Amino acid sequence: MSRNAGVLPDALDAAYTLADLSGVSIDDNGKVWGVDDAIETLRTRSGYLFAPVEPVKPKAIGSWYS
């Protein structure tokens, strides 16, 4: 699994077992293809394995009412 996938640490074994890795391949240069699609499919089917994604809150950089 990708380090940035957001899978909960206690769920890594389950995620690896449940992920459909049939579309994942490694080319001659060692680049891995298809992992993002496999992770998104897993997230759709088994979202409980992933940490909740919190929306990014914009930072206030001033006030309109100063």
Side-chain angles (χ1 to χ4, degrees):
M1 289 278 122
S2 170
R3 288 182 219 164
N4 300 338
V7 175
L8 294 168
D10 292 342
L12 285 172
D13 288 337
Y16 185 76
T17 300
L18 294 171
D20 177 6
L21 302 177
S22 63
V24 176
S25 62
I26 302 172
D27 68 17
D28 293 336
N29 295 321
K31 182 162 172 73
V32 180
W33 297 92
V35 172
D36 291 338
D37 291 336
I39 291 171
E40 286 309 310
T41 300
L42 181 64
R43 185 184 308 273
T44 300
R45 293 181 181 168
S46 304
Y48 60 91
L49 298 172
F50 294 83
V53 177
E54 295 184 24
V56 176
K57 296 178 184 175
K59 293 182 181 181
I61 57 172
S63 174
W64 291 98
Y65 304 106
S66 296

